[in-house]
Structures are given as C-alpha cells and as structure tokens.
Amino acid sequence: MLVKYESGSTAIDLKDDGTGFLYYPNGTIAISCSQATDYQNSYYVFDKDRGGSLLFGLDEMGVGFCTSSKRKSAESDGSSLIFTTKGGVLTNSEGTIVNDWKWDRSSLEKGNEPTDTVVNHLNEHVTFKYKDRSLMSLEFQCESARHSIDTRVRVRRTTNYLTNAKKGEAGRLIPQIDNVSLKDRQISFSESMRAQKNKLHPKSE
C-alpha cells in the first residue's frame, strides 16, 4: 500500500503483512509498524516535533503506553494510557487516575475497566481508540492521507477443541482430536532410530 501527499512525498508505505511506515508531510515518521511474530506486529507513534518524541508504543502482547503530545498546536487532550501484562491505567490531563483495571478475569481485584471506548488524541494527526485488547486501533489523518491500523492483540490459535466437536448422547459434545497413541509413538521412534543406525552401519542389501 503506497499513498502520497499532493506534494509528492510519501504518506503511507505499508507491505501486505501490515509492516511499514506512515509519514508526516515533512518526511518524518509518524507511525512505525514492525513485525514481532509471524502473526502479530508491534507499533510506535512519533510526534512531529524536532526530537520526534515517542507518543505510543505497543508490543505483540498488548503491553505499552499511550501519551499525548506536549506541543501547543497538537490539539491533544493530555490523557494517558498504560498497558501492562496484568491490566491498564487511564489518567486525565492532570495525571489523576480515571480508571484502573486488570485483564485477569479470575482476579478478585478486577478493577473498573472502561465501559465506553477510550479515545486518546496523541496529536492533531493520530488518534488511538481502545475498547478492550481485542478492539484497539490507530487512526491516522493528515491532509488527504487517511488510514486505520488494527492494533488488537492476536493469538495464533483461532479455534478451540469444541469448534469441530460432534454431539453425542444427551447432547454431550465429543471433541474430534487426532491423538497419537503411545504405541504409534514408539513405532515411529524405532523407525527413525533404525534409519540413523543404517547411516552409520549400512547393510549390503
């Protein structure tokens, strides 16, 4: 995906796997999308100030932070988000904690996770939207260039053992799992070891 500004400079340059860069009109990097695993990317957002301040960072596990630009022209709201392996914290422009919650559903101290979508304006061009770890996105809008990046936490496994389960008696679900018996494992192991032995001591036949 390649999008350019009217001036001819590159605005969006992303590969099919979602990795690449989004740029401000002055050529500096706005958003960086890098590959973390074969099914998940990590994301970074930089401000358009001289130092290219880091405003947002999120890894493949959904751990990171989101803060607002300090520039007067940034049109940011000053709020911040922090994501850890255990939960998240939302603060307002004064640094006061608005929400504090935990991901672990079995925890006795689950916290007060936001019920509405949290919208954080990082600067005048980039907005982060959060509902939960399965509904997160970065919205980029600068001049004629617009793009939405899905930053949700993905898992390799998309199905569970009940997906292909069959109904048995009394409505009981019977998982359809291809199990390898201990006997089959032993036979397979013996065959592989026999092949290794033939390499060291090949037979005449």
Side-chain angles (χ1 to χ4, degrees), residues 92-142:
N92 58 21
S93 58
E94 298 177 354
T96 304
I97 295 177
V98 179
N99 290 99
D100 183 7
W101 66 92
K102 293 188 177 182
W103 310 126
D104 189 4
R105 295 181 180 179
S106 63
S107 174
L108 297 177
E109 301 177 358
K110 184 178 179 181
N112 183 24
E113 189 167 358
T115 56
D116 298 327
T117 301
V118 176
V119 180
N120 188 307
H121 298 282
L122 281 70
N123 60 22
E124 65 270 38
H125 302 302
V126 185
T127 301
F128 176 66
K129 296 182 179 180
Y130 165 82
K131 177 64 177 177
D132 54 50
R133 287 192 293 178
S134 64
L135 291 172
M136 300 190 295
S137 65
L138 282 169
E139 309 292 333
F140 178 76
Q141 181 176 349
C142 186

Side-chain angles (χ1 to χ4, degrees), residues 61-101:
M61 301 300 294
V63 176
F65 71 96
C66 175
T67 187
S68 302
S69 173
K70 304 301 181 183
R71 290 184 295 106
K72 294 182 179 180
S73 60
E75 301 176 5
S76 58
D77 53 14
S79 62
S80 299
L81 275 168
I82 298 175
F83 299 123
T84 67
T85 55
K86 295 183 178 180
V89 177
L90 171 64
T91 62
N92 58 21
S93 58
E94 298 177 354
T96 304
I97 295 177
V98 179
N99 290 99
D100 183 7
W101 66 92

Side-chain angles (χ1 to χ4, degrees), residues 3-12 22-28 30 125 140-146:
V3 178
K4 293 190 175 182
Y5 292 111
E6 295 180 358
S7 61
S9 60
T10 301
I12 304 172
L22 284 76
Y23 300 89
Y24 294 117
N26 61 4
T28 58
H125 302 302
F140 178 76
Q141 181 176 349
C142 186
E143 296 183 1
S144 59
R146 295 184 179 183

